[in-house]
Amino acid sequence: MSSAPESPKSQVKPWPRLRRGLEHDFTVVKVREDAMADPRTHMEHRRVRMDCADWVNVIAVTKQDELVMVRQFRCGIDAATLEAPGGVIDPGEDPATAAARELEEETGYRAGRLEALGVVHPNPAFQSNRCHTYLALDCERVSDGDPDDGEDIAVELHPRADLPRLILEGHITHSLVVVAFFLERLRAEAKR
């Protein structure tokens, strides 16, 4: 794949940090407001930064071609959402190991095969972390699962063929989950 050469006008310079703000630790995220300098105008701008651990999403598919999904309450929207299993990658943990762990903890399913699909930045405007996406194939139920404290999860199986409808009708609205399924589609198309 070739790309157009970068013109001097399109080169973006890094923004120097003038001052690091006071950090607030909320367990799952650390938030601070830094003073940054626009390299073009040298004007000072305040920017919020959220430091989170890296995350993992798992598109889990059974031998019967069903998606293993989870439904859980999300405080940000005060509603339950239908999502792919996933969660936080522990410090020093390999993302693939985290994917297998999160899948089994949240759903009780274990993958026969695990394939990396890609990595995205959830929101690089103010978040520092990455989200790794994996495809888990030939999943079989091996337990009832063991969710973390603070997780109340219902496991749902959906025919894989229903995925476009689930997204287009607004049953799946979590942006990182939609991106995960897009990455899966791109990988499948690239293999053709």
Side-chain angles (χ1 to χ4, degrees):
M1 171 190 282
S2 65
S3 61
E6 220 175 84
S7 71
K9 279 188 171 183
S10 69
Q11 293 177 354
V12 176
K13 296 177 183 171
W15 285 46
R17 180 178 292 116
L18 303 174
R19 288 181 306 285
R20 183 183 169 105
L22 180 65
E23 189 170 86
H24 302 279
D25 190 341
F26 298 102
T27 308
V28 296
V29 62
K30 293 177 182 176
V31 181
R32 70 176 194 264
E33 185 178 62
D34 292 348
M36 308 293 286
D38 180 331
R40 186 176 51 82
T41 65
H42 307 289
M43 300 265 317
E44 181 176 314
H45 296 274
R46 295 182 349 194
R47 295 290 186 253
V48 171
R49 179 179 169 120
M50 298 172 60
D51 290 324
C52 310
D54 284 355
W55 301 326
V56 65
N57 270 334
V58 184
I59 298 173
V61 184
T62 67
K63 291 181 178 182
Q64 295 75 35
D65 211 29
E66 296 171 305
L67 295 170
V68 182
M69 304 289 291
V70 295
R71 190 174 296 275
Q72 57 187 322
F73 186 82
R74 293 302 195 182
C75 294
I77 61 169
D78 289 325
T81 61
L82 182 63
E83 304 176 7
V88 173
I89 299 172
D90 291 336
E93 186 177 31
D94 176 71
T97 302
R101 176 184 53 74
E102 285 289 342
L103 173 62
E104 193 165 337
E105 284 178 1
E106 290 192 353
T107 69
Y109 280 79
R110 187 176 293 153
R113 296 180 321 208
L114 199 61
E115 298 176 15
L117 294 178
V119 180
V120 297
H121 291 100
N123 191 338
F126 53 82
Q127 282 179 251
S128 62
N129 66 328
R130 300 175 303 164
C131 183
H132 301 256
T133 300
Y134 285 85
L135 176 62
L137 298 169
D138 300 327
C139 293
E140 293 184 294
R141 187 162 189 175
V142 295
S143 72
D144 291 334
D146 186 24
D148 293 333
D149 284 344
E151 287 183 326
D152 184 20
I153 296 171
V155 178
E156 298 181 14
L157 298 178
H158 292 271
R160 199 171 188 187
D162 286 355
L163 178 65
R165 180 186 61 78
L166 291 170
I167 293 172
L168 292 173
E169 290 180 359
H171 300 285
I172 298 173
T173 60
H174 191 307
S175 61
L176 292 174
V177 174
V178 174
V179 166
F181 285 112
F182 183 65
L183 287 171
E184 180 199 18
R185 181 176 178 177
L186 291 176
R187 290 279 180 184
E189 289 175 0
K191 287 180 182 178
R192 289 186 202 153

PDB file of all heavy atoms in Angstrom, residues 16-44:
ATOM      1  N   PRO A  16       4.572  21.204  23.036  1.00  0.00           N
ATOM      2  CA  PRO A  16       5.353  21.110  24.279  1.00  0.00           C
ATOM      3  C   PRO A  16       4.467  21.313  25.513  1.00  0.00           C
ATOM      4  O   PRO A  16       3.561  22.152  25.508  1.00  0.00           O
ATOM      5  CB  PRO A  16       6.362  22.251  24.170  1.00  0.00           C
ATOM      6  CG  PRO A  16       6.346  22.686  22.736  1.00  0.00           C
ATOM      7  CD  PRO A  16       5.007  22.317  22.193  1.00  0.00           C
ATOM      8  N   ARG A  17       4.744  20.511  26.539  1.00  0.00           N
ATOM      9  CA  ARG A  17       4.042  20.665  27.814  1.00  0.00           C
ATOM     10  C   ARG A  17       4.742  21.749  28.612  1.00  0.00           C
ATOM     11  O   ARG A  17       5.939  21.670  28.878  1.00  0.00           O
ATOM     12  CB  ARG A  17       4.045  19.355  28.597  1.00  0.00           C
ATOM     13  CG  ARG A  17       3.320  19.463  29.941  1.00  0.00           C
ATOM     14  CD  ARG A  17       3.275  18.136  30.697  1.00  0.00           C
ATOM     15  NE  ARG A  17       2.429  17.199  29.983  1.00  0.00           N
ATOM     16  CZ  ARG A  17       2.856  16.057  29.443  1.00  0.00           C
ATOM     17  NH1 ARG A  17       4.122  15.699  29.536  1.00  0.00           N
ATOM     18  NH2 ARG A  17       2.039  15.261  28.796  1.00  0.00           N
ATOM     19  N   LEU A  18       4.024  22.782  28.976  1.00  0.00           N
ATOM     20  CA  LEU A  18       4.569  23.875  29.768  1.00  0.00           C
ATOM     21  C   LEU A  18       4.484  23.560  31.257  1.00  0.00           C
ATOM     22  O   LEU A  18       5.417  23.846  32.009  1.00  0.00           O
ATOM     23  CB  LEU A  18       3.826  25.182  29.468  1.00  0.00           C
ATOM     24  CG  LEU A  18       3.829  25.618  28.006  1.00  0.00           C
ATOM     25  CD1 LEU A  18       2.930  26.837  27.810  1.00  0.00           C
ATOM     26  CD2 LEU A  18       5.250  25.904  27.545  1.00  0.00           C
ATOM     27  N   ARG A  19       3.349  23.016  31.681  1.00  0.00           N
ATOM     28  CA  ARG A  19       3.149  22.647  33.079  1.00  0.00           C
ATOM     29  C   ARG A  19       2.270  21.401  33.150  1.00  0.00           C
ATOM     30  O   ARG A  19       1.302  21.287  32.406  1.00  0.00           O
ATOM     31  CB  ARG A  19       2.455  23.780  33.858  1.00  0.00           C
ATOM     32  CG  ARG A  19       3.330  24.991  34.119  1.00  0.00           C
ATOM     33  CD  ARG A  19       2.601  26.065  34.919  1.00  0.00           C
ATOM     34  NE  ARG A  19       1.336  26.486  34.344  1.00  0.00           N
ATOM     35  CZ  ARG A  19       1.187  27.275  33.278  1.00  0.00           C
ATOM     36  NH1 ARG A  19       2.254  27.730  32.652  1.00  0.00           N
ATOM     37  NH2 ARG A  19      -0.006  27.619  32.845  1.00  0.00           N
ATOM     38  N   ARG A  20       2.654  20.520  34.045  1.00  0.00           N
ATOM     39  CA  ARG A  20       1.845  19.330  34.298  1.00  0.00           C
ATOM     40  C   ARG A  20       0.875  19.669  35.426  1.00  0.00           C
ATOM     41  O   ARG A  20       1.278  20.177  36.473  1.00  0.00           O
ATOM     42  CB  ARG A  20       2.759  18.172  34.698  1.00  0.00           C
ATOM     43  CG  ARG A  20       2.052  16.869  34.924  1.00  0.00           C
ATOM     44  CD  ARG A  20       3.062  15.814  35.377  1.00  0.00           C
ATOM     45  NE  ARG A  20       2.380  14.646  35.832  1.00  0.00           N
ATOM     46  CZ  ARG A  20       2.290  13.517  35.147  1.00  0.00           C
ATOM     47  NH1 ARG A  20       2.877  13.406  33.982  1.00  0.00           N
ATOM     48  NH2 ARG A  20       1.631  12.498  35.635  1.00  0.00           N
ATOM     49  N   GLY A  21      -0.403  19.359  35.212  1.00  0.00           N
ATOM     50  CA  GLY A  21      -1.415  19.677  36.199  1.00  0.00           C
ATOM     51  C   GLY A  21      -1.462  18.682  37.343  1.00  0.00           C
ATOM     52  O   GLY A  21      -0.832  17.622  37.307  1.00  0.00           O
ATOM     53  N   LEU A  22      -2.237  19.014  38.349  1.00  0.00           N
ATOM     54  CA  LEU A  22      -2.458  18.149  39.499  1.00  0.00           C
ATOM     55  C   LEU A  22      -3.226  16.915  39.047  1.00  0.00           C
ATOM     56  O   LEU A  22      -4.240  17.026  38.357  1.00  0.00           O
ATOM     57  CB  LEU A  22      -3.246  18.907  40.575  1.00  0.00           C
ATOM     58  CG  LEU A  22      -3.567  18.150  41.846  1.00  0.00           C
ATOM     59  CD1 LEU A  22      -2.285  17.795  42.600  1.00  0.00           C
ATOM     60  CD2 LEU A  22      -4.477  18.997  42.733  1.00  0.00           C
ATOM     61  N   GLU A  23      -2.745  15.743  39.418  1.00  0.00           N
ATOM     62  CA  GLU A  23      -3.366  14.499  38.980  1.00  0.00           C
ATOM     63  C   GLU A  23      -4.390  14.023  40.000  1.00  0.00           C
ATOM     64  O   GLU A  23      -4.137  14.040  41.195  1.00  0.00           O
ATOM     65  CB  GLU A  23      -2.282  13.432  38.787  1.00  0.00           C
ATOM     66  CG  GLU A  23      -2.781  12.174  38.132  1.00  0.00           C
ATOM     67  CD  GLU A  23      -1.634  11.258  37.749  1.00  0.00           C
ATOM     68  OE1 GLU A  23      -1.201  10.480  38.607  1.00  0.00           O
ATOM     69  OE2 GLU A  23      -1.174  11.351  36.596  1.00  0.00           O
ATOM     70  N   HIS A  24      -5.545  13.594  39.519  1.00  0.00           N
ATOM     71  CA  HIS A  24      -6.608  13.034  40.349  1.00  0.00           C
ATOM     72  C   HIS A  24      -6.754  11.565  39.978  1.00  0.00           C
ATOM     73  O   HIS A  24      -7.004  11.239  38.821  1.00  0.00           O
ATOM     74  CB  HIS A  24      -7.924  13.782  40.123  1.00  0.00           C
ATOM     75  CG  HIS A  24      -7.814  15.250  40.403  1.00  0.00           C
ATOM     76  ND1 HIS A  24      -7.884  15.773  41.668  1.00  0.00           N
ATOM     77  CD2 HIS A  24      -7.604  16.292  39.567  1.00  0.00           C
ATOM     78  CE1 HIS A  24      -7.741  17.081  41.610  1.00  0.00           C
ATOM     79  NE2 HIS A  24      -7.564  17.429  40.342  1.00  0.00           N
ATOM     80  N   ASP A  25      -6.602  10.679  40.954  1.00  0.00           N
ATOM     81  CA  ASP A  25      -6.638   9.238  40.715  1.00  0.00           C
ATOM     82  C   ASP A  25      -8.023   8.705  41.067  1.00  0.00           C
ATOM     83  O   ASP A  25      -8.436   8.738  42.227  1.00  0.00           O
ATOM     84  CB  ASP A  25      -5.560   8.547  41.551  1.00  0.00           C
ATOM     85  CG  ASP A  25      -5.375   7.087  41.194  1.00  0.00           C
ATOM     86  OD1 ASP A  25      -6.283   6.486  40.583  1.00  0.00           O
ATOM     87  OD2 ASP A  25      -4.312   6.539  41.536  1.00  0.00           O
ATOM     88  N   PHE A  26      -8.735   8.210  40.055  1.00  0.00           N
ATOM     89  CA  PHE A  26     -10.073   7.645  40.236  1.00  0.00           C
ATOM     90  C   PHE A  26     -10.059   6.136  40.006  1.00  0.00           C
ATOM     91  O   PHE A  26     -11.021   5.576  39.492  1.00  0.00           O
ATOM     92  CB  PHE A  26     -11.066   8.326  39.293  1.00  0.00           C
ATOM     93  CG  PHE A  26     -11.209   9.795  39.550  1.00  0.00           C
ATOM     94  CD1 PHE A  26     -10.570  10.713  38.736  1.00  0.00           C
ATOM     95  CD2 PHE A  26     -11.965  10.259  40.615  1.00  0.00           C
ATOM     96  CE1 PHE A  26     -10.687  12.072  38.966  1.00  0.00           C
ATOM     97  CE2 PHE A  26     -12.084  11.621  40.855  1.00  0.00           C
ATOM     98  CZ  PHE A  26     -11.458  12.526  40.032  1.00  0.00           C
ATOM     99  N   THR A  27      -8.997   5.469  40.341  1.00  0.00           N
ATOM    100  CA  THR A  27      -8.778   4.025  40.241  1.00  0.00           C
ATOM    101  C   THR A  27      -8.681   3.561  38.789  1.00  0.00           C
ATOM    102  O   THR A  27      -7.652   3.063  38.383  1.00  0.00           O
ATOM    103  CB  THR A  27      -9.859   3.233  41.001  1.00  0.00           C
ATOM    104  OG1 THR A  27      -9.944   3.732  42.332  1.00  0.00           O
ATOM    105  CG2 THR A  27      -9.518   1.745  41.047  1.00  0.00           C
ATOM    106  N   VAL A  28      -9.747   3.699  38.001  1.00  0.00           N
ATOM    107  CA  VAL A  28      -9.709   3.230  36.617  1.00  0.00           C
ATOM    108  C   VAL A  28      -9.140   4.264  35.666  1.00  0.00           C
ATOM    109  O   VAL A  28      -8.832   3.964  34.523  1.00  0.00           O
ATOM    110  CB  VAL A  28     -11.105   2.786  36.112  1.00  0.00           C
ATOM    111  CG1 VAL A  28     -11.609   1.603  36.900  1.00  0.00           C
ATOM    112  CG2 VAL A  28     -12.087   3.930  36.145  1.00  0.00           C
ATOM    113  N   VAL A  29      -9.002   5.502  36.143  1.00  0.00           N
ATOM    114  CA  VAL A  29      -8.472   6.564  35.300  1.00  0.00           C
ATOM    115  C   VAL A  29      -7.811   7.623  36.172  1.00  0.00           C
ATOM    116  O   VAL A  29      -8.273   7.901  37.276  1.00  0.00           O
ATOM    117  CB  VAL A  29      -9.580   7.193  34.415  1.00  0.00           C
ATOM    118  CG1 VAL A  29     -10.654   7.837  35.253  1.00  0.00           C
ATOM    119  CG2 VAL A  29      -9.005   8.179  33.420  1.00  0.00           C
ATOM    120  N   LYS A  30      -6.713   8.171  35.700  1.00  0.00           N
ATOM    121  CA  LYS A  30      -6.066   9.315  36.332  1.00  0.00           C
ATOM    122  C   LYS A  30      -6.297  10.504  35.414  1.00  0.00           C
ATOM    123  O   LYS A  30      -6.062  10.410  34.201  1.00  0.00           O
ATOM    124  CB  LYS A  30      -4.571   9.060  36.524  1.00  0.00           C
ATOM    125  CG  LYS A  30      -4.284   7.964  37.522  1.00  0.00           C
ATOM    126  CD  LYS A  30      -2.812   7.689  37.622  1.00  0.00           C
ATOM    127  CE  LYS A  30      -2.571   6.537  38.599  1.00  0.00           C
ATOM    128  NZ  LYS A  30      -1.163   6.169  38.661  1.00  0.00           N
ATOM    129  N   VAL A  31      -6.751  11.611  35.976  1.00  0.00           N
ATOM    130  CA  VAL A  31      -7.105  12.783  35.182  1.00  0.00           C
ATOM    131  C   VAL A  31      -6.290  13.980  35.648  1.00  0.00           C
ATOM    132  O   VAL A  31      -6.113  14.193  36.849  1.00  0.00           O
ATOM    133  CB  VAL A  31      -8.615  13.103  35.320  1.00  0.00           C
ATOM    134  CG1 VAL A  31      -8.997  14.315  34.475  1.00  0.00           C
ATOM    135  CG2 VAL A  31      -9.465  11.897  34.949  1.00  0.00           C
ATOM    136  N   ARG A  32      -5.812  14.744  34.677  1.00  0.00           N
ATOM    137  CA  ARG A  32      -5.123  15.984  35.006  1.00  0.00           C
ATOM    138  C   ARG A  32      -5.322  16.972  33.862  1.00  0.00           C
ATOM    139  O   ARG A  32      -5.702  16.593  32.747  1.00  0.00           O
ATOM    140  CB  ARG A  32      -3.646  15.740  35.277  1.00  0.00           C
ATOM    141  CG  ARG A  32      -2.822  15.367  34.082  1.00  0.00           C
ATOM    142  CD  ARG A  32      -1.334  15.243  34.436  1.00  0.00           C
ATOM    143  NE  ARG A  32      -0.554  15.208  33.247  1.00  0.00           N
ATOM    144  CZ  ARG A  32      -0.133  14.082  32.660  1.00  0.00           C
ATOM    145  NH1 ARG A  32      -0.411  12.911  33.193  1.00  0.00           N
ATOM    146  NH2 ARG A  32       0.583  14.163  31.557  1.00  0.00           N
ATOM    147  N   GLU A  33      -5.046  18.238  34.153  1.00  0.00           N
ATOM    148  CA  GLU A  33      -5.115  19.281  33.133  1.00  0.00           C
ATOM    149  C   GLU A  33      -3.732  19.894  33.010  1.00  0.00           C
ATOM    150  O   GLU A  33      -3.203  20.450  33.970  1.00  0.00           O
ATOM    151  CB  GLU A  33      -6.146  20.344  33.526  1.00  0.00           C
ATOM    152  CG  GLU A  33      -6.358  21.392  32.465  1.00  0.00           C
ATOM    153  CD  GLU A  33      -7.410  22.398  32.870  1.00  0.00           C
ATOM    154  OE1 GLU A  33      -7.203  23.093  33.897  1.00  0.00           O
ATOM    155  OE2 GLU A  33      -8.426  22.497  32.178  1.00  0.00           O
ATOM    156  N   ASP A  34      -3.131  19.759  31.829  1.00  0.00           N
ATOM    157  CA  ASP A  34      -1.799  20.279  31.567  1.00  0.00           C
ATOM    158  C   ASP A  34      -1.887  21.572  30.763  1.00  0.00           C
ATOM    159  O   ASP A  34      -2.852  21.796  30.021  1.00  0.00           O
ATOM    160  CB  ASP A  34      -0.973  19.273  30.754  1.00  0.00           C
ATOM    161  CG  ASP A  34      -0.624  18.016  31.527  1.00  0.00           C
ATOM    162  OD1 ASP A  34      -0.811  17.997  32.759  1.00  0.00           O
ATOM    163  OD2 ASP A  34      -0.176  17.044  30.886  1.00  0.00           O
ATOM    164  N   ALA A  35      -0.869  22.408  30.898  1.00  0.00           N
ATOM    165  CA  ALA A  35      -0.725  23.599  30.056  1.00  0.00           C
ATOM    166  C   ALA A  35       0.198  23.228  28.904  1.00  0.00           C
ATOM    167  O   ALA A  35       1.318  22.767  29.122  1.00  0.00           O
ATOM    168  CB  ALA A  35      -0.158  24.758  30.858  1.00  0.00           C
ATOM    169  N   MET A  36      -0.281  23.406  27.679  1.00  0.00           N
ATOM    170  CA  MET A  36       0.468  23.036  26.477  1.00  0.00           C
ATOM    171  C   MET A  36       0.659  24.272  25.610  1.00  0.00           C
ATOM    172  O   MET A  36      -0.127  25.216  25.671  1.00  0.00           O
ATOM    173  CB  MET A  36      -0.316  21.976  25.680  1.00  0.00           C
ATOM    174  CG  MET A  36      -0.769  20.766  26.491  1.00  0.00           C
ATOM    175  SD  MET A  36       0.571  19.725  27.079  1.00  0.00           S
ATOM    176  CE  MET A  36       1.040  18.923  25.567  1.00  0.00           C
ATOM    177  N   ALA A  37       1.700  24.250  24.786  1.00  0.00           N
ATOM    178  CA  ALA A  37       1.973  25.368  23.877  1.00  0.00           C
ATOM    179  C   ALA A  37       1.689  24.944  22.444  1.00  0.00           C
ATOM    180  O   ALA A  37       2.197  23.918  21.981  1.00  0.00           O
ATOM    181  CB  ALA A  37       3.419  25.825  24.008  1.00  0.00           C
ATOM    182  N   ASP A  38       0.892  25.726  21.768  1.00  0.00           N
ATOM    183  CA  ASP A  38       0.640  25.508  20.349  1.00  0.00           C
ATOM    184  C   ASP A  38       1.947  25.829  19.621  1.00  0.00           C
ATOM    185  O   ASP A  38       2.440  26.954  19.706  1.00  0.00           O
ATOM    186  CB  ASP A  38      -0.483  26.434  19.884  1.00  0.00           C
ATOM    187  CG  ASP A  38      -0.819  26.285  18.413  1.00  0.00           C
ATOM    188  OD1 ASP A  38       0.076  25.926  17.611  1.00  0.00           O
ATOM    189  OD2 ASP A  38      -1.975  26.549  18.052  1.00  0.00           O
ATOM    190  N   PRO A  39       2.550  24.858  18.913  1.00  0.00           N
ATOM    191  CA  PRO A  39       3.841  25.112  18.276  1.00  0.00           C
ATOM    192  C   PRO A  39       3.761  26.128  17.133  1.00  0.00           C
ATOM    193  O   PRO A  39       4.767  26.725  16.755  1.00  0.00           O
ATOM    194  CB  PRO A  39       4.262  23.744  17.759  1.00  0.00           C
ATOM    195  CG  PRO A  39       2.997  22.994  17.594  1.00  0.00           C
ATOM    196  CD  PRO A  39       2.067  23.510  18.655  1.00  0.00           C
ATOM    197  N   ARG A  40       2.573  26.358  16.631  1.00  0.00           N
ATOM    198  CA  ARG A  40       2.409  27.311  15.527  1.00  0.00           C
ATOM    199  C   ARG A  40       2.315  28.743  16.042  1.00  0.00           C
ATOM    200  O   ARG A  40       2.963  29.641  15.538  1.00  0.00           O
ATOM    201  CB  ARG A  40       1.143  26.932  14.734  1.00  0.00           C
ATOM    202  CG  ARG A  40       0.913  27.726  13.481  1.00  0.00           C
ATOM    203  CD  ARG A  40      -0.304  27.214  12.714  1.00  0.00           C
ATOM    204  NE  ARG A  40      -1.502  27.090  13.532  1.00  0.00           N
ATOM    205  CZ  ARG A  40      -2.325  28.103  13.841  1.00  0.00           C
ATOM    206  NH1 ARG A  40      -2.073  29.314  13.389  1.00  0.00           N
ATOM    207  NH2 ARG A  40      -3.393  27.889  14.576  1.00  0.00           N
ATOM    208  N   THR A  41       1.512  28.953  17.109  1.00  0.00           N
ATOM    209  CA  THR A  41       1.288  30.317  17.614  1.00  0.00           C
ATOM    210  C   THR A  41       2.022  30.600  18.918  1.00  0.00           C
ATOM    211  O   THR A  41       2.088  31.747  19.350  1.00  0.00           O
ATOM    212  CB  THR A  41      -0.208  30.551  17.862  1.00  0.00           C
ATOM    213  OG1 THR A  41      -0.643  29.673  18.911  1.00  0.00           O
ATOM    214  CG2 THR A  41      -1.031  30.318  16.596  1.00  0.00           C
ATOM    215  N   HIS A  42       2.510  29.543  19.565  1.00  0.00           N
ATOM    216  CA  HIS A  42       3.169  29.616  20.870  1.00  0.00           C
ATOM    217  C   HIS A  42       2.213  30.049  21.985  1.00  0.00           C
ATOM    218  O   HIS A  42       2.648  30.375  23.081  1.00  0.00           O
ATOM    219  CB  HIS A  42       4.418  30.521  20.836  1.00  0.00           C
ATOM    220  CG  HIS A  42       5.366  30.131  19.756  1.00  0.00           C
ATOM    221  ND1 HIS A  42       6.111  28.981  19.816  1.00  0.00           N
ATOM    222  CD2 HIS A  42       5.656  30.719  18.565  1.00  0.00           C
ATOM    223  CE1 HIS A  42       6.839  28.879  18.714  1.00  0.00           C
ATOM    224  NE2 HIS A  42       6.573  29.911  17.944  1.00  0.00           N
ATOM    225  N   MET A  43       0.922  30.044  21.695  1.00  0.00           N
ATOM    226  CA  MET A  43      -0.091  30.382  22.703  1.00  0.00           C
ATOM    227  C   MET A  43      -0.270  29.190  23.635  1.00  0.00           C
ATOM    228  O   MET A  43      -0.171  28.041  23.230  1.00  0.00           O
ATOM    229  CB  MET A  43      -1.429  30.711  22.032  1.00  0.00           C
ATOM    230  CG  MET A  43      -1.367  31.874  21.078  1.00  0.00           C
ATOM    231  SD  MET A  43      -1.830  33.464  21.740  1.00  0.00           S
ATOM    232  CE  MET A  43      -3.243  33.174  22.696  1.00  0.00           C
ATOM    233  N   GLU A  44      -0.551  29.496  24.899  1.00  0.00           N
ATOM    234  CA  GLU A  44      -0.786  28.462  25.910  1.00  0.00           C
ATOM    235  C   GLU A  44      -2.244  28.014  25.841  1.00  0.00           C
ATOM    236  O   GLU A  44      -3.157  28.829  25.721  1.00  0.00           O
ATOM    237  CB  GLU A  44      -0.472  29.018  27.299  1.00  0.00           C
ATOM    238  CG  GLU A  44      -0.655  28.001  28.402  1.00  0.00           C
ATOM    239  CD  GLU A  44      -0.249  28.538  29.760  1.00  0.00           C
ATOM    240  OE1 GLU A  44       0.835  29.159  29.858  1.00  0.00           O
ATOM    241  OE2 GLU A  44      -1.016  28.338  30.714  1.00  0.00           O
TER     242      GLU A  44
END
